[in-house]
Coordinates of all heavy atoms in Angstrom, one line a residue:
M1 N 13.5 11.4 13.4 CA 13.9 10.4 12.4 C 13.8 11.1 11.0 O 12.8 11.6 10.6 CB 13.0 9.2 12.4 CG 13.6 8.0 11.8 SD 13.0 6.4 12.3 CE 11.2 6.6 12.2
T2 N 14.9 11.0 10.2 CA 14.9 11.5 8.9 C 15.0 10.4 7.9 O 15.5 9.4 8.2 CB 16.0 12.6 8.7 OG1 17.2 11.9 9.0 CG2 15.8 13.8 9.5
H3 N 14.4 10.7 6.7 CA 14.5 9.7 5.6 C 15.2 10.3 4.4 O 14.6 10.8 3.5 CB 13.1 9.2 5.3 CG 12.4 8.5 6.4 ND1 12.6 7.2 6.7 CD2 11.6 9.0 7.3 CE1 11.9 6.9 7.8 NE2 11.2 8.0 8.2
K4 N 16.5 10.3 4.5 CA 17.3 10.9 3.4 C 17.1 10.1 2.1 O 17.2 8.9 2.1 CB 18.8 11.0 3.8 CG 19.5 12.1 3.1 CD 20.9 12.2 3.6 CE 21.6 13.3 2.7 NZ 23.0 13.1 2.7
G5 N 16.8 10.9 1.1 CA 16.6 10.2 -0.2 C 15.3 9.5 -0.4 O 15.0 8.8 -1.4
H6 N 14.4 9.6 0.6 CA 13.2 8.9 0.5 C 12.2 9.8 -0.2 O 11.9 10.9 0.2 CB 12.7 8.6 1.9 CG 11.4 7.8 1.9 ND1 11.4 6.4 1.8 CD2 10.1 8.1 1.9 CE1 10.2 6.0 1.8 NE2 9.4 7.0 1.9
D7 N 11.6 9.3 -1.3 CA 10.7 10.1 -2.1 C 9.3 9.9 -1.6 O 8.7 8.9 -2.0 CB 10.9 9.8 -3.6 CG 10.2 10.8 -4.5 OD1 9.3 11.6 -3.9 OD2 10.4 10.8 -5.7
H8 N 8.8 10.8 -0.9 CA 7.5 10.7 -0.3 C 6.4 10.7 -1.3 O 5.4 10.0 -1.1 CB 7.3 11.9 0.7 CG 6.0 11.9 1.4 ND1 5.5 10.8 2.0 CD2 5.1 12.9 1.6 CE1 4.3 11.1 2.5 NE2 4.1 12.4 2.3
R9 N 6.6 11.4 -2.4 CA 5.6 11.4 -3.5 C 5.4 10.0 -4.0 O 4.3 9.6 -4.4 CB 6.0 12.4 -4.6 CG 5.7 13.9 -4.2 CD 6.4 14.8 -5.1 NE 7.9 14.4 -5.2 CZ 8.7 14.9 -6.0 NH1 8.4 15.8 -6.9 NH2 10.0 14.6 -6.0
K10 N 6.5 9.3 -4.1 CA 6.3 7.9 -4.6 C 5.5 7.1 -3.7 O 4.7 6.2 -4.1 CB 7.7 7.3 -4.7 CG 8.4 7.5 -6.1 CD 9.6 6.7 -6.2 CE 10.4 7.1 -7.4 NZ 11.8 6.5 -7.4
C11 N 5.7 7.3 -2.4 CA 4.9 6.5 -1.4 C 3.4 6.8 -1.6 O 2.6 5.9 -1.5 CB 5.3 6.9 0.0 SG 7.0 6.3 0.4
M12 N 3.0 8.1 -1.8 CA 1.6 8.4 -1.9 C 1.1 7.9 -3.2 O 0.0 7.4 -3.2 CB 1.5 10.0 -1.9 CG 1.7 10.6 -0.5 SD 0.8 9.7 0.9 CE -0.9 10.2 0.5
A13 N 1.9 7.9 -4.3 CA 1.4 7.4 -5.5 C 1.2 5.8 -5.4 O 0.3 5.3 -5.9 CB 2.4 7.7 -6.6
L14 N 2.1 5.2 -4.7 CA 2.1 3.8 -4.5 C 0.8 3.4 -3.6 O 0.2 2.4 -3.9 CB 3.3 3.3 -3.7 CG 3.4 1.8 -3.6 CD1 4.4 1.3 -4.6 CD2 3.8 1.4 -2.2
F15 N 0.6 4.2 -2.7 CA -0.6 4.0 -1.8 C -1.9 3.9 -2.6 O -2.7 3.1 -2.4 CB -0.7 5.0 -0.7 CG -1.9 4.8 0.2 CD1 -1.8 3.9 1.2 CD2 -3.0 5.5 0.0 CE1 -2.9 3.7 2.1 CE2 -4.1 5.3 0.8 CZ -4.0 4.4 1.9
E16 N -2.0 4.8 -3.6 CA -3.2 4.8 -4.4 C -3.3 3.5 -5.2 O -4.4 3.1 -5.5 CB -3.1 6.0 -5.4 CG -2.8 7.4 -4.8 CD -4.0 7.9 -4.0 OE1 -5.1 7.4 -4.2 OE2 -3.8 8.7 -3.1
K17 N -2.2 2.9 -5.5 CA -2.2 1.7 -6.4 C -2.2 0.4 -5.6 O -2.4 -0.6 -6.2 CB -0.9 1.7 -7.3 CG -1.0 2.7 -8.4 CD 0.2 2.4 -9.4 CE 0.0 3.1 -10.7 NZ 0.2 4.6 -10.6
M18 N -2.0 0.6 -4.3 CA -1.8 -0.6 -3.5 C -3.0 -1.6 -3.5 O -2.8 -2.8 -3.6 CB -1.4 -0.3 -2.1 CG -0.4 -1.2 -1.5 SD 0.0 -0.8 0.2 CE 1.4 0.3 0.0
S19 N -4.2 -1.1 -3.4 CA -5.3 -2.0 -3.4 C -5.5 -2.7 -4.8 O -5.8 -3.9 -4.8 CB -6.6 -1.3 -3.0 OG -6.9 -0.3 -3.9
E20 N -5.2 -2.0 -5.8 CA -5.2 -2.6 -7.2 C -4.2 -3.6 -7.3 O -4.3 -4.6 -8.0 CB -5.0 -1.5 -8.2 CG -6.2 -0.5 -8.4 CD -5.9 0.6 -9.3 OE1 -5.7 0.3 -10.5 OE2 -5.8 1.7 -8.9
Y21 N -3.0 -3.3 -6.7 CA -1.9 -4.3 -6.7 C -2.3 -5.6 -6.0 O -2.1 -6.7 -6.6 CB -0.7 -3.7 -6.0 CG 0.5 -4.6 -5.8 CD1 1.4 -4.8 -6.9 CD2 0.7 -5.2 -4.6 CE1 2.5 -5.6 -6.7 CE2 1.8 -6.0 -4.4 CZ 2.7 -6.2 -5.5 OH 3.8 -7.0 -5.3
I22 N -3.0 -5.5 -4.9 CA -3.4 -6.6 -4.1 C -4.5 -7.4 -4.9 O -4.5 -8.6 -4.9 CB -3.9 -6.2 -2.7 CG1 -2.6 -5.9 -1.9 CG2 -4.7 -7.3 -2.1 CD1 -3.0 -5.2 -0.5
D23 N -5.3 -6.6 -5.6 CA -6.4 -7.3 -6.4 C -5.9 -7.7 -7.7 O -6.6 -8.3 -8.6 CB -7.5 -6.3 -6.6 CG -8.4 -6.1 -5.3 OD1 -8.3 -7.0 -4.5 OD2 -9.0 -5.1 -5.2
R24 N -4.6 -7.5 -8.0 CA -4.0 -7.9 -9.3 C -4.7 -7.2 -10.5 O -4.9 -7.9 -11.5 CB -4.0 -9.4 -9.5 CG -3.2 -10.1 -8.4 CD -3.2 -11.6 -8.5 NE -2.7 -12.3 -7.3 CZ -1.4 -12.3 -6.9 NH1 -0.5 -11.7 -7.7 NH2 -1.1 -12.9 -5.8
E25 N -5.0 -6.0 -10.3 CA -5.7 -5.2 -11.4 C -4.7 -4.4 -12.2 O -5.1 -3.7 -13.1 CB -6.8 -4.3 -10.8 CG -8.0 -5.1 -10.4 CD -9.0 -4.3 -9.5 OE1 -8.7 -3.1 -9.3 OE2 -10.0 -4.8 -9.1
L26 N -3.4 -4.4 -11.7 CA -2.5 -3.5 -12.4 C -1.8 -4.3 -13.6 O -1.8 -5.5 -13.5 CB -1.4 -3.1 -11.5 CG -1.8 -2.2 -10.3 CD1 -0.6 -2.1 -9.4 CD2 -2.2 -0.9 -10.8
D27 N -1.4 -3.6 -14.6 CA -0.7 -4.3 -15.7 C 0.7 -4.6 -15.2 O 1.2 -4.1 -14.1 CB -0.7 -3.5 -17.0 CG 0.0 -2.1 -16.8 OD1 1.0 -2.0 -16.1 OD2 -0.5 -1.1 -17.4
E28 N 1.5 -5.3 -16.0 CA 2.7 -5.9 -15.5 C 3.7 -4.8 -15.2 O 4.5 -4.9 -14.2 CB 3.3 -6.7 -16.6 CG 4.0 -8.0 -16.1 CD 4.1 -9.1 -17.2 OE1 3.0 -9.6 -17.6 OE2 5.2 -9.3 -17.6
E29 N 3.8 -3.7 -15.9 CA 4.7 -2.6 -15.7 C 4.4 -1.9 -14.4 O 5.3 -1.7 -13.6 CB 4.6 -1.6 -16.9 CG 5.8 -0.7 -17.0 CD 5.6 0.3 -18.1 OE1 4.7 0.1 -18.9 OE2 6.3 1.3 -18.0
A30 N 3.2 -1.6 -14.2 CA 2.8 -0.9 -12.9 C 3.0 -1.8 -11.7 O 3.5 -1.4 -10.7 CB 1.3 -0.5 -13.0
R31 N 2.8 -3.1 -11.9 CA 2.9 -4.1 -10.8 C 4.4 -4.2 -10.4 O 4.8 -4.2 -9.2 CB 2.4 -5.4 -11.2 CG 1.9 -6.2 -10.0 CD 1.1 -7.4 -10.5 NE 1.8 -8.2 -11.4 CZ 1.2 -8.8 -12.5 NH1 -0.1 -8.7 -12.6 NH2 1.8 -9.5 -13.3
A32 N 5.3 -4.1 -11.4 CA 6.7 -4.2 -11.2 C 7.2 -3.0 -10.4 O 8.0 -3.1 -9.5 CB 7.5 -4.3 -12.5
L33 N 6.6 -1.8 -10.7 CA 7.0 -0.6 -10.0 C 6.6 -0.7 -8.6 O 7.4 -0.3 -7.7 CB 6.3 0.6 -10.7 CG 7.0 1.2 -11.9 CD1 6.1 2.2 -12.6 CD2 8.4 1.8 -11.6
V34 N 5.4 -1.1 -8.3 CA 4.9 -1.2 -7.0 C 5.7 -2.2 -6.2 O 6.1 -2.0 -5.1 CB 3.4 -1.6 -7.0 CG1 2.9 -1.8 -5.5 CG2 2.5 -0.5 -7.6
D35 N 6.0 -3.3 -6.8 CA 6.7 -4.4 -6.2 C 8.1 -3.9 -5.8 O 8.6 -4.1 -4.7 CB 6.9 -5.5 -7.3 CG 7.1 -6.8 -6.7 OD1 6.4 -7.1 -5.7 OD2 8.0 -7.6 -7.1
A36 N 8.8 -3.2 -6.7 CA 10.1 -2.7 -6.4 C 10.1 -1.7 -5.3 O 11.0 -1.7 -4.4 CB 10.7 -2.0 -7.7
H37 N 9.1 -0.8 -5.2 CA 9.0 0.2 -4.2 C 8.8 -0.5 -2.8 O 9.4 -0.2 -1.8 CB 8.0 1.2 -4.5 CG 8.0 2.3 -3.5 ND1 8.7 3.5 -3.6 CD2 7.4 2.4 -2.2 CE1 8.5 4.2 -2.5 NE2 7.7 3.6 -1.7
I38 N 7.9 -1.5 -2.8 CA 7.5 -2.2 -1.5 C 8.8 -2.8 -1.0 O 9.0 -2.8 0.2 CB 6.4 -3.2 -1.8 CG1 5.1 -2.5 -1.9 CG2 6.3 -4.1 -0.6 CD1 3.9 -3.4 -2.3
R39 N 9.6 -3.4 -1.8 CA 10.8 -4.1 -1.4 C 11.8 -3.0 -0.8 O 12.6 -3.3 0.1 CB 11.5 -4.8 -2.5 CG 10.9 -6.1 -2.8 CD 11.5 -6.7 -4.1 NE 10.5 -7.4 -4.9 CZ 10.3 -8.7 -4.8 NH1 11.1 -9.4 -4.1 NH2 9.4 -9.3 -5.5
A40 N 11.9 -1.9 -1.4 CA 12.9 -0.9 -1.0 C 12.5 0.0 0.1 O 13.3 0.7 0.7 CB 13.2 0.0 -2.3
C41 N 11.2 0.1 0.4 CA 10.7 1.1 1.3 C 10.0 0.4 2.5 O 8.9 -0.3 2.3 CB 9.7 2.0 0.6 SG 8.9 3.2 1.7
C42 N 10.6 0.5 3.7 CA 10.0 -0.3 4.8 C 8.6 0.2 5.3 O 7.8 -0.5 5.7 CB 11.0 -0.3 6.0 SG 11.4 1.4 6.6
H43 N 8.4 1.5 5.0 CA 7.1 2.1 5.4 C 6.0 1.5 4.5 O 4.9 1.1 5.0 CB 7.1 3.6 5.3 CG 8.1 4.2 6.1 ND1 8.1 4.2 7.5 CD2 9.3 4.8 5.8 CE1 9.2 4.8 8.0 NE2 9.9 5.2 7.0
C44 N 6.2 1.5 3.2 CA 5.3 0.9 2.3 C 5.1 -0.6 2.5 O 4.0 -1.1 2.3 CB 5.6 1.3 0.9 SG 5.4 3.0 0.5
Q45 N 6.2 -1.2 2.9 CA 6.1 -2.6 3.1 C 5.2 -2.9 4.3 O 4.4 -3.8 4.2 CB 7.5 -3.1 3.5 CG 7.7 -4.6 3.3 CD 9.2 -5.0 3.4 OE1 9.9 -4.6 4.3 NE2 9.6 -5.8 2.4
A46 N 5.4 -2.2 5.4 CA 4.5 -2.4 6.6 C 3.0 -2.1 6.2 O 2.1 -2.8 6.6 CB 4.9 -1.4 7.7
C47 N 2.9 -1.0 5.4 CA 1.6 -0.6 5.0 C 0.9 -1.7 4.1 O -0.2 -2.1 4.3 CB 1.7 0.6 4.1 SG 0.3 1.6 4.2
Y48 N 1.7 -2.3 3.2 CA 1.3 -3.3 2.3 C 0.9 -4.6 3.1 O -0.2 -5.2 2.8 CB 2.4 -3.6 1.3 CG 2.1 -4.9 0.5 CD1 1.1 -4.9 -0.5 CD2 2.9 -6.0 0.7 CE1 0.9 -6.1 -1.2 CE2 2.6 -7.2 0.0 CZ 1.6 -7.2 -0.9 OH 1.4 -8.4 -1.6
E49 N 1.7 -4.9 4.0 CA 1.4 -6.1 4.8 C 0.1 -6.0 5.6 O -0.7 -6.9 5.7 CB 2.6 -6.5 5.7 CG 3.7 -7.2 5.0 CD 5.0 -7.2 5.7 OE1 5.0 -6.9 6.9 OE2 6.0 -7.6 5.1
T50 N -0.1 -4.8 6.2 CA -1.3 -4.5 6.9 C -2.5 -4.6 6.0 O -3.6 -5.3 6.3 CB -1.3 -3.1 7.5 OG1 -0.1 -3.0 8.3 CG2 -2.5 -2.9 8.4
L51 N -2.4 -4.0 4.8 CA -3.5 -4.0 3.8 C -3.8 -5.4 3.3 O -4.9 -5.9 3.3 CB -3.1 -3.1 2.7 CG -4.2 -2.7 1.7 CD1 -5.3 -1.9 2.5 CD2 -3.7 -1.8 0.6
Q52 N -2.7 -6.2 3.0 CA -2.9 -7.5 2.5 C -3.6 -8.4 3.6 O -4.5 -9.2 3.2 CB -1.5 -8.1 2.2 CG -1.5 -9.5 1.7 CD -1.9 -9.7 0.3 OE1 -1.2 -9.4 -0.6 NE2 -3.2 -10.1 0.1
R53 N -3.2 -8.3 4.8 CA -3.8 -9.1 5.9 C -5.2 -8.8 6.0 O -6.1 -9.7 6.2 CB -3.0 -8.8 7.2 CG -2.3 -10.0 7.8 CD -2.0 -9.9 9.2 NE -1.5 -8.5 9.6 CZ -0.2 -8.2 9.6 NH1 0.7 -9.0 9.2 NH2 0.2 -7.0 9.9
T54 N -5.6 -7.5 5.9 CA -7.0 -7.1 6.1 C -7.8 -7.6 4.9 O -8.9 -8.1 5.1 CB -7.0 -5.5 6.1 OG1 -6.1 -5.1 7.1 CG2 -8.4 -5.1 6.5
V55 N -7.2 -7.5 3.7 CA -8.0 -8.0 2.5 C -8.2 -9.5 2.6 O -9.3 -10.0 2.4 CB -7.2 -7.6 1.2 CG1 -7.7 -8.3 0.0 CG2 -7.2 -6.1 1.0
D56 N -7.2 -10.2 3.1 CA -7.3 -11.7 3.3 C -8.4 -12.0 4.3 O -9.2 -12.9 4.0 CB -6.0 -12.3 3.8 CG -5.0 -12.4 2.7 OD1 -5.4 -12.2 1.5 OD2 -3.8 -12.6 3.0
L57 N -8.4 -11.2 5.4 CA -9.4 -11.4 6.4 C -10.8 -11.2 5.8 O -11.8 -12.0 6.1 CB -9.2 -10.4 7.5 CG -8.5 -11.0 8.8 CD1 -8.2 -9.8 9.7 CD2 -9.4 -12.0 9.5
C58 N -11.0 -10.1 5.1 CA -12.3 -9.7 4.5 C -12.7 -10.8 3.6 O -13.9 -11.1 3.5 CB -12.2 -8.4 3.8 SG -12.0 -7.0 4.9
R59 N -11.8 -11.3 2.8 CA -12.2 -12.3 1.8 C -12.6 -13.6 2.4 O -13.4 -14.3 1.8 CB -11.0 -12.5 0.8 CG -10.9 -11.4 -0.2 CD -9.9 -11.8 -1.3 NE -9.8 -10.6 -2.2 CZ -8.7 -10.2 -2.7 NH1 -7.6 -10.9 -2.5 NH2 -8.7 -9.1 -3.5
S60 N -12.0 -14.0 3.5 CA -12.3 -15.2 4.1 C -13.7 -15.1 4.8 O -14.3 -16.1 5.1 CB -11.2 -15.7 5.1 OG -11.0 -14.7 6.1
S61 N -14.1 -13.9 5.2 CA -15.3 -13.8 5.9 C -16.5 -13.5 5.0 O -17.6 -14.0 5.1 CB -15.2 -12.7 7.0 OG -14.8 -11.5 6.5
A62 N -16.3 -12.6 4.0 CA -17.4 -12.2 3.1 C -16.8 -11.8 1.8 O -15.7 -11.2 1.7 CB -18.2 -11.1 3.7
A63 N -17.5 -12.2 0.7 CA -17.0 -11.8 -0.6 C -17.2 -10.3 -0.9 O -18.3 -9.8 -0.4 CB -17.8 -12.6 -1.7
D64 N -16.3 -9.7 -1.6 CA -16.4 -8.3 -2.0 C -16.7 -7.4 -0.8 O -17.5 -6.4 -0.9 CB -17.5 -8.2 -3.0 CG -17.0 -8.6 -4.4 OD1 -15.8 -8.5 -4.6 OD2 -17.8 -9.0 -5.2
Y65 N -16.1 -7.7 0.3 CA -16.3 -6.8 1.5 C -15.4 -5.6 1.2 O -14.2 -5.7 1.0 CB -15.8 -7.5 2.7 CG -16.2 -6.9 4.0 CD1 -17.5 -7.1 4.5 CD2 -15.4 -6.0 4.7 CE1 -17.9 -6.5 5.7 CE2 -15.8 -5.4 5.8 CZ -17.0 -5.6 6.4 OH -17.4 -5.0 7.5
P66 N -16.0 -4.4 1.3 CA -15.2 -3.2 1.0 C -14.2 -2.9 2.1 O -14.6 -3.1 3.3 CB -16.2 -2.1 0.8 CG -17.4 -2.5 1.6 CD -17.4 -4.0 1.5
L67 N -13.1 -2.3 1.8 CA -12.1 -1.9 2.8 C -12.7 -0.8 3.6 O -13.2 0.2 3.1 CB -10.9 -1.5 2.1 CG -9.6 -1.6 2.8 CD1 -9.3 -3.1 3.1 CD2 -8.4 -1.0 2.0
P68 N -12.7 -0.9 4.9 CA -13.3 0.2 5.7 C -12.5 1.5 5.5 O -11.2 1.4 5.4 CB -13.2 -0.3 7.2 CG -12.3 -1.5 7.2 CD -12.2 -2.0 5.8
D69 N -13.2 2.6 5.4 CA -12.5 3.9 5.2 C -11.5 4.2 6.3 O -10.5 4.8 6.1 CB -13.6 5.0 5.2 CG -14.3 5.1 3.9 OD1 -13.8 4.4 3.0 OD2 -15.3 5.8 3.8
S70 N -11.9 3.8 7.6 CA -11.0 4.1 8.7 C -9.6 3.4 8.5 O -8.6 4.0 8.8 CB -11.6 3.5 10.0 OG -11.8 2.2 9.9
L71 N -9.6 2.3 7.8 CA -8.3 1.6 7.6 C -7.5 2.4 6.5 O -6.3 2.6 6.7 CB -8.5 0.2 7.2 CG -7.1 -0.5 6.9 CD1 -6.5 -0.9 8.2 CD2 -7.3 -1.7 6.0
S72 N -8.1 2.7 5.4 CA -7.3 3.5 4.4 C -6.8 4.8 5.0 O -5.7 5.2 4.7 CB -8.2 3.7 3.2 OG -9.4 3.1 3.1
E73 N -7.6 5.4 5.8 CA -7.2 6.6 6.5 C -6.0 6.4 7.4 O -5.0 7.2 7.4 CB -8.3 7.2 7.3 CG -9.3 8.0 6.5 CD -8.7 9.1 5.6 OE1 -7.9 9.9 6.2 OE2 -9.0 9.1 4.4
K74 N -6.0 5.3 8.1 CA -4.9 4.9 9.0 C -3.6 4.7 8.2 O -2.6 5.2 8.6 CB -5.3 3.7 9.8 CG -4.9 3.8 11.3 CD -5.6 2.7 12.1 CE -4.8 1.4 12.1 NZ -5.5 0.4 12.9
L75 N -3.8 3.9 7.1 CA -2.6 3.6 6.3 C -2.0 4.9 5.6 O -0.8 5.1 5.5 CB -2.9 2.6 5.3 CG -3.3 1.2 5.9 CD1 -3.7 0.3 4.8 CD2 -2.1 0.6 6.6
R76 N -3.0 5.7 5.2 CA -2.5 7.0 4.5 C -1.8 7.8 5.6 O -0.7 8.4 5.2 CB -3.7 7.7 4.0 CG -3.4 8.9 3.2 CD -4.6 9.7 2.8 NE -5.4 9.0 1.8 CZ -5.2 9.2 0.5 NH1 -4.3 10.0 0.0 NH2 -6.0 8.5 -0.4
A77 N -2.3 7.9 6.8 CA -1.6 8.7 7.8 C -0.2 8.1 8.1 O 0.8 8.8 8.3 CB -2.4 8.6 9.1
M78 N -0.1 6.7 8.1 CA 1.2 6.1 8.3 C 2.2 6.5 7.3 O 3.4 6.9 7.6 CB 1.0 4.6 8.1 CG 1.1 3.8 9.4 SD 0.6 2.1 9.1 CE 2.1 1.3 8.4
I79 N 1.8 6.6 6.0 CA 2.7 6.9 4.9 C 3.0 8.4 5.0 O 4.2 8.8 4.8 CB 2.1 6.6 3.6 CG1 2.1 5.1 3.4 CG2 2.8 7.3 2.4 CD1 1.6 4.6 2.1
E80 N 2.0 9.2 5.4 CA 2.3 10.6 5.5 C 3.3 10.9 6.6 O 4.2 11.7 6.5 CB 1.0 11.4 5.7 CG 0.4 12.0 4.4 CD -1.0 12.5 4.6 OE1 -1.6 12.3 5.6 OE2 -1.5 13.0 3.5
A81 N 3.1 10.2 7.7 CA 4.0 10.4 8.9 C 5.4 10.0 8.5 O 6.4 10.6 8.9 CB 3.5 9.6 10.0
A82 N 5.5 8.9 7.7 CA 6.8 8.4 7.3 C 7.6 9.4 6.4 O 8.8 9.5 6.4 CB 6.7 7.1 6.6
G83 N 6.8 10.2 5.6 CA 7.5 11.1 4.7 C 7.9 12.4 5.4 O 8.6 13.2 4.7
R84 N 7.6 12.6 6.6 CA 8.0 13.8 7.3 C 9.4 13.7 7.9 O 9.8 12.6 8.2 CB 6.9 14.2 8.4 CG 5.9 15.0 7.7 CD 4.8 15.3 8.7 NE 3.5 15.5 8.0 CZ 2.3 15.0 8.3 NH1 2.2 14.2 9.3 NH2 1.3 15.3 7.6
Ligands
ZN1 ZN1 7.4 4.1 0.3

C-alpha cells in the first residue's frame, strides 16, 4: 500500500500534539492545523479516535490517569507503519 502525497513528517508532528489537542491545551492556530490534518488523514483519524476513546475511559474511571506508555507506543507504531 502506498500513500502518494502523504507527508509522514506531518503525521509524526501531529502525533506529538494529539494529546494536547485532546486536552485542549493548544492555541487556536495549532488546534486548527491538527483538526485539518485529522480530517484529511485516515491514519491520524484512526489514531485520534483511539486516543480520544482511551482518554475518555481514563477520565471516567480516575482523574488525571496518565496515558499508558504501551498505548502511545502502539499509536506511534501505527503512524510509522502508515508512513511507509
Ligand atoms: Zn496523518
Side-chain angles (χ1 to χ4, degrees):
M1 198 160 50
T2 55
H3 298 277
K4 209 175 172 204
H6 186 86
D7 193 343
H8 181 44
R9 282 165 306 172
K10 271 191 190 164
C11 292
M12 288 314 286
L14 186 103
F15 179 82
E16 306 292 336
K17 288 193 164 70
M18 216 181 268
S19 60
E20 290 173 65
Y21 175 80
I22 287 172
D23 287 337
R24 301 181 193 283
E25 283 167 3
L26 296 174
D27 59 39
E28 221 159 292
E29 199 184 342
R31 210 165 53 217
L33 277 173
V34 174
D35 206 44
H37 185 94
I38 287 174
R39 281 169 215 265
C41 176
C42 61
H43 303 292
C44 289
Q45 197 169 50
C47 208
Y48 167 72
E49 279 166 11
T50 307
L51 195 60
Q52 177 78 77
R53 244 197 319 270
T54 309
V55 168
D56 284 347
L57 260 173
C58 290
R59 279 189 186 144
S60 59
S61 55
D64 282 333
Y65 194 86
L67 208 64
D69 282 350
S70 57
L71 180 78
S72 353
E73 280 307 308
K74 219 164 91 182
L75 294 177
R76 189 184 286 270
M78 249 170 85
I79 287 183
E80 262 168 359
R84 269 175 208 134

